[in-house]
């Protein structure tokens, strides 16, 4: 073993090396946090030219390796905590979440079997039980922590598919897909997350299996069109495997009418999966929890904690209403989740996950809840939604700006609107505003489309950002827009 890079262990040499490396890295982060710019403004080409792999035969040692990481990674990283960084569902993280990462990384527990993660397994199970209670599910522990929304959505769709075939007496797990697969459909809104299509392709049913339902003026699934799509599917001899409802669309933050969708699905025995990767944060809200009414009716739910729960990436969860459906993906390996363990009540979480080796990300949420408490957590979640409403009102009052849609969660859709200019020209202008602000390092504003309108997006997740900070950002948008328009 190299003297320069010892394996983490209980030896005096290892402990000393660990302390030195952590201290050096921590000091570098402290300096980076003081960096005034949101981003240093380097282009893709500049970064490609600057970053080179220079591995040597003998190695550089910990100190030099950390120095290079600071120079080539840290200094050119996006400051997600910066008040002008509002483009994406990309949150600043809680300090306690950073502390949790130290414990997670040092212990390196693997969540596939209890004998690799004894206390961690029990903590995750208890957190799943608690999350189910927040949703409104019955007592139980059917669920698992995941890498995020795409994986959780995959689990929901996979179990929906397998339950669909099981009702027809066929086991996908044992015998694979069968029948007229082109006749199997999944319905979701036209604003649902792209992972619905991505996961249906991954499961062998293709993009063609996804039927998009129209949305209303607030980007929510239109119930009348959903009814029509269900009737049309039946008339075409198609079978609807699942309906995916969204609680917090990526751009508008729209929450579909969950209770009404569940009622329609129940009539036809259709699985309902709710992608609440963003909106699920309202489970802790004191002001807006009612936005999620009907979530408890879903067969499965996606939650993300690296969005408005302010946890470091990655941290998500999948919740399953009826634990018996886990049998559809059950697989036993003698070295991980044996019959003997099951008989003895030993919890091996590999049985509930698509992953085998898996990080103990649940620790971050547990420590966050313990450190902040439910009331303070509710306050920082509610802050984003309330701030978005305040910002929208301010945008309406600015003659150079146009509010594209009333906010529903913590995002604001708007655009710079010069007095003269055709639709295509205004669309390109707003795209250029977003690009120019990032290139300057001044701000990171989202560029997206809402009902065919190219617009800018503020995703206001940062709980320390106030209306005055956003006014500064909007002034930059106006100034940049005027400069580009007049050029």
């Amino acid at each position: 073993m190299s003297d320069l890079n010892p394996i983490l262990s209980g030896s005096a040499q290892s402990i000393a090396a660990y302390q030195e490396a952590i201290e050096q890295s921590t000091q570098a982060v402290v300096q980076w946090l003081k960096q005034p710019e949101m981003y240093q403004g380097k282009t893709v080409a500049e970064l490609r030219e600057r970053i080179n792999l220079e591995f040597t035969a003998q190695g550089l040692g910990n100190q030099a390796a950390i120095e290079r990481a600071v120079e080539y990674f840290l200094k050119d990283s996006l400051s997600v905590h910066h008040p002008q960084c509002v483009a994406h569902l990309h949150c600043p993280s809680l300090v306690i979440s950073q502390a949790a990462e130290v414990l997670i990384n040092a212990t390196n527990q693997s969540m596939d079997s209890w004998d690799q993660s004894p206390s961690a397994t029990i903590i995750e199970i208890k957190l799943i039980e608690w999350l189910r209670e927040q949703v409104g599910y019955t007592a139980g522990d059917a669920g698992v922590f995941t890498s995020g929304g795409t994986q959780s959505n995959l689990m929901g769709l996979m179990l929906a598919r397998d339950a669909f075939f099981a009702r027809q007496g066929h086991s996908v797990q044992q015998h694979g897909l069968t029948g007229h697969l082109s006749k199997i459909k999944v319905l979701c809104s036209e604003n649902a997350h792209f992972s619905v299509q991505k996961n249906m392709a991954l499961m062998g049913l293709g993009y063609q299996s996804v039927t998009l339902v129209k949305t209303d003026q607030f980007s929510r699934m239109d119930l009348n069109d959903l009814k029509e799509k269900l009737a049309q599917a039946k008339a075409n001899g198609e079978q609807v495997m699942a309906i995916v409802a969204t609680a917090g669309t990526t751009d508008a933050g729209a929450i579909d009418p969950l209770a009404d969708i569940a009622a329609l699905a129940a009539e036809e025995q259709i699985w309902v999966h709710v992608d609440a990767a963003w909106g699920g944060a309202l489970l802790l809200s004191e002001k807006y929890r009612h936005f999620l009414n009907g979530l408890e009716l879903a067969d499965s739910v996606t939650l993300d904690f690296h969005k408005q729960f302010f946890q470091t990436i990655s941290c998500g969860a999948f919740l399953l209403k009826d634990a018996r459906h886990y049998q559809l993906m059950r697989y036993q390996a003698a070295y991980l989740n044996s019959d003997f363990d099951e008989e003895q009540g030993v919890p091996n979480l590999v049985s509930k996950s698509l992953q085998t080796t898996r990080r103990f990300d649940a620790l971050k949420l547990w420590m966050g809840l313990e450190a902040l408490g439910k009331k303070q957590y509710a306050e920082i979640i509610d802050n984003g939604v309330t701030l978005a409403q305040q910002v929208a009102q301010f945008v309406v009052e600015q003659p150079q700006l146009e509010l594209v849609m009333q906010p529903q969660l913590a995002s604001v859709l708007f655009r710079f609107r010069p007095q003269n200019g055709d639709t295509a020209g205004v669309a390109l202008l707003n795209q250029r505003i977003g690009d120019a602000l990032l290139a300057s390092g001044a701000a990171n504003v989202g560029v997206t489309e809402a009902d065919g309108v190219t617009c800018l997006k503020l995703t206001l997740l940062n709980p320390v950002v106030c209306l005055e900070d956003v006014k500064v950002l909007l002034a930059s948008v106006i100034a940049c827009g005027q400069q580009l328009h007049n050029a």
Side-chain angles (χ1 to χ4, degrees):
M1 180 176 67
S2 168
D3 291 335
L4 297 176
N5 297 286
I7 293 291
L8 181 61
S9 70
S11 72
Q13 180 196 29
S14 176
I15 291 171
Y18 176 77
Q19 290 177 309
E20 290 170 6
I22 294 296
E23 178 63 23
Q24 183 184 354
S25 298
T26 301
Q27 288 303 317
V29 169
V30 169
Q31 292 305 120
W32 173 72
L33 289 170
K34 296 176 181 178
Q35 187 172 291
E37 301 93 352
M38 184 207 67
Y39 178 55
Q40 300 281 14
K42 291 185 177 66
T43 65
V44 172
E46 288 171 333
L47 288 173
R48 285 190 187 277
E49 179 67 24
R50 171 173 161 77
I51 298 171
N52 293 297
L53 303 183
E54 298 178 359
F55 305 139
T56 66
Q58 300 303 317
L60 302 175
N62 293 347
Q63 181 178 343
I66 293 169
E67 288 172 354
R68 283 178 56 79
V70 171
E71 181 63 27
Y72 295 104
F73 163 65
L74 188 60
K75 288 183 178 180
D76 287 323
S77 290
L78 193 73
S79 297
V80 182
H81 57 276
H82 196 283
Q84 310 299 303
C85 187
V86 292
H88 299 287
L89 282 165
H90 190 181
C91 68
S93 58
L94 297 170
V95 171
I96 193 66
S97 189
Q98 297 287 341
E101 289 284 7
V102 175
L103 303 181
I104 294 167
N105 293 333
T107 57
N108 205 32
Q109 306 291 280
S110 183
M111 301 303 297
D112 40 331
S113 63
W114 180 83
D115 64 352
Q116 298 180 82
S117 53
S119 57
T121 294
I122 303 304
I123 290 171
E124 177 166 325
I125 289 172
K126 288 186 176 294
L127 263 176
I128 291 294
E129 292 172 342
W130 182 82
L131 288 167
R132 289 175 58 88
E133 182 182 345
Q134 306 315 302
V135 168
Y137 280 172
T138 57
D141 62 4
V144 72
F145 273 70
T146 69
S147 63
T150 297
Q151 184 185 346
S152 295
N153 288 342
L154 174 58
M155 289 192 71
L157 288 167
M158 185 189 76
L159 290 175
R161 179 199 66 185
D162 293 358
F164 169 83
F165 278 100
R167 287 194 297 271
Q168 302 174 34
H170 179 79
S171 170
V172 172
Q173 185 186 50
Q174 295 295 325
H175 305 295
L177 298 174
T178 189
H180 299 292
L181 301 182
S182 63
K183 294 290 187 179
I184 298 173
K185 301 296 177 182
V186 165
L187 273 57
C188 66
S189 91
E190 58 190 9
N191 291 305
H193 195 258
F194 72 89
S195 61
V196 178
Q197 285 90 336
K198 185 176 181 179
N199 288 331
M200 292 306 292
L202 184 63
M203 294 194 307
L205 296 170
Y207 293 167
Q208 66 83 32
S209 66
V210 181
T211 298
L212 299 181
V213 179
K214 294 177 183 177
T215 53
D216 63 16
Q217 68 270 31
F218 296 109
S219 294
R220 301 171 301 198
M221 188 184 290
D222 184 287
L223 283 173
N224 289 326
D225 193 55
L226 175 60
K227 292 175 184 177
E228 290 181 13
K229 291 293 195 304
L230 288 169
Q232 185 178 349
K234 185 176 289 187
N236 293 341
E238 297 167 344
Q239 294 178 292
V240 178
M241 180 189 97
I243 299 173
V244 178
T246 307
T249 57
T250 304
D251 289 331
I255 298 176
D256 292 336
L258 304 178
D260 293 332
I261 292 170
L264 284 173
E267 295 175 8
E268 303 292 335
Q269 283 191 304
I270 298 171
W271 185 290
V272 174
H273 175 74
V274 176
D275 178 1
W278 181 10
L282 299 186
L283 289 173
L284 296 188
S285 170
E286 292 186 346
K287 294 182 180 179
Y288 308 107
R289 172 62 179 83
H290 61 283
F291 287 6
L292 296 179
N293 287 349
L295 183 63
E296 71 281 359
L297 303 173
D299 294 286
S300 53
V301 174
T302 286
L303 298 173
D304 265 12
F305 308 112
H306 52 236
K307 292 185 172 66
Q308 213 162 351
F309 280 87
F310 310 105
Q311 299 298 336
T312 57
I313 298 169
S314 60
C315 193
F318 169 76
L319 302 179
L320 181 62
K321 187 174 186 178
D322 189 339
R324 67 187 174 90
H325 287 122
Y326 256 134
Q327 293 297 316
L328 296 169
M329 59 175 282
R330 185 170 179 269
Y331 189 90
Q332 286 190 295
Y335 52 87
L336 285 179
N337 57 340
S338 65
D339 286 327
F340 180 83
D341 274 2
E342 194 166 289
E343 291 167 3
Q344 300 302 312
V346 176
N348 295 308
L349 297 183
V350 69
S351 302
K352 298 181 177 182
S353 177
L354 294 178
Q355 296 173 260
T356 305
T357 303
R358 183 166 58 86
R359 301 178 83 242
F360 180 33
D361 288 314
L363 182 66
K364 294 181 284 193
L365 180 62
W366 181 54
M367 290 175 65
L369 287 162
E370 292 223 324
L372 273 67
K374 290 180 66 177
K375 184 172 182 59
Q376 188 176 354
Y377 229 137
E379 287 173 354
I380 63 173
I381 289 170
D382 288 346
N383 174 77
V385 184
T386 302
L387 178 60
Q389 295 167 357
Q390 295 170 346
V391 170
Q393 181 57 44
F394 180 77
V395 166
V396 169
E397 297 166 357
Q398 309 311 303
Q400 305 97 326
L401 303 178
E402 178 185 4
L403 187 68
V404 172
M405 185 182 297
Q406 284 292 334
Q408 296 165 77
L409 287 180
S411 64
V412 180
L413 300 179
F414 72 105
R415 62 177 175 169
F416 178 79
R417 182 77 190 197
Q419 291 184 341
N420 57 328
D422 57 25
T423 301
V426 172
L428 179 59
L429 176 59
N430 279 272
Q431 177 70 60
R432 292 177 65 200
I433 291 171
D435 293 344
L437 288 173
L438 180 59
S440 71
N444 192 15
V445 178
V447 182
T448 188
E449 286 190 10
D451 291 331
V453 175
T454 298
C455 57
L456 302 173
K457 177 176 67 169
L458 309 180
T459 310
L460 303 171
L461 299 187
N462 193 331
V464 302
V465 168
C466 64
L467 181 58
E468 293 306 312
D469 294 315
V470 183
K471 287 181 179 179
V472 171
L473 174 57
L474 292 174
S476 298
V477 169
I478 293 171
C480 182
Q482 290 174 333
Q483 181 180 7
L484 291 170
H485 182 61
N486 296 330

